[in-house]
Amino acid sequence: MSTELETDLDTDLGGERGGRRLVLGAVGVAGFVAVWWVASLFNPDYVLPPPDAVARTFLGELRSGAMVVALAQSVTHWLPGTIVGTVLGIALGVTLAYSDLADDVAAPIVRLLRPIPPLALIGFAIAWIGINDGGAAFIIAAGALWINYYAAYGGVDSVPDEFVDVARSLGVTSDLELVRKSCSPLRRRRSSPGSEPASGAVG
């Protein structure tokens, strides 16, 4: 796994292709800023402020410490929500992918709840928890849960039956040991990218 990752990094960041990607990326960013600046000429500042105004405001808040305070306040509900949603999503995904019985029982509930966007739960969060960090963490956890659920479910469900049979033949008998020794290593390789979008999906 580490060898594959190092190869990918070398391919993306090193050599001729890596240099080309950096140049094209810089061109893309410059183009985006140019389009932003032109569009701001035809809109009032309160609708679309120009890039230089945004940069000045950002630096001003950073120097005054307001930016640090705002980030700290965001972290107090983003971090717990992400952790809770990730843990619950992975646990639920692994359980339902491993157990056909649990999957059949929970499938209608999953299909009912999954299409509900996290922002639609704001009313419930206010009624159940209140307008506070806990309510915000609840919304973030709801968003992180489903991303990690499907990543974990897909990872475990794609484990070949032959791997499980080999584990049983080597003396692994309990379901927990099968998940830990047979399913989990492959799940980490196939579903770990799910945690990255989860952390930013609703943060």
Side-chain angles (χ1 to χ4, degrees):
M1 183 64 178
S2 60
T3 304
E4 294 175 0
L5 180 59
E6 291 171 359
T7 302
D8 292 340
L9 290 175
D10 291 340
T11 302
D12 290 341
L13 301 179
E16 182 178 351
R17 183 171 181 269
R20 180 173 176 271
R21 287 175 62 89
L22 290 175
V23 171
L24 292 178
V27 171
V29 172
F32 171 78
V33 173
V35 172
W36 176 8
W37 178 76
V38 172
S40 68
L41 298 177
F42 302 95
N43 292 277
D45 288 351
Y46 65 86
V47 175
L48 184 63
D52 58 323
V54 173
R56 287 195 303 269
T57 302
F58 176 82
L59 292 175
E61 292 190 359
L62 191 62
R63 293 192 189 100
S64 67
M67 181 70 67
V68 176
V69 174
L71 289 174
Q73 291 173 343
S74 296
V75 168
T76 57
H77 57 255
W78 173 82
L79 187 59
T82 300
I83 292 174
V84 171
T86 299
V87 171
L88 292 179
I90 292 176
L92 186 64
V94 171
T95 301
L96 298 189
Y98 183 77
S99 172
D100 291 337
L101 176 61
D103 191 21
D104 291 340
V105 171
I109 302 174
V110 171
R111 291 169 183 165
L112 176 66
L113 297 179
R114 174 63 188 94
I116 301 176
L119 294 181
L121 301 175
I122 290 178
F124 293 98
I126 293 174
W128 295 341
I129 304 174
I131 305 177
N132 50 40
D133 290 335
F138 171 81
I139 300 299
I140 293 173
L145 183 145
W146 293 115
I147 294 176
N148 284 281
Y149 164 77
Y150 279 108
Y153 186 100
V156 173
D157 190 55
S158 63
V159 174
D161 293 338
E162 292 81 1
F163 283 38
V164 177
D165 293 338
V166 169
R168 291 186 187 278
S169 67
L170 293 176
V172 179
T173 56
S174 69
D175 291 337
L176 182 61
E177 285 294 299
L178 277 174
V179 171
R180 188 172 68 87
K181 293 185 176 181
S182 180
C183 297
S184 291
L186 282 178
R187 182 199 62 76
R188 284 196 296 270
R189 293 184 60 182
R190 301 184 186 195
S191 68
S192 57
S195 61
E196 183 176 343
S199 65
V202 288

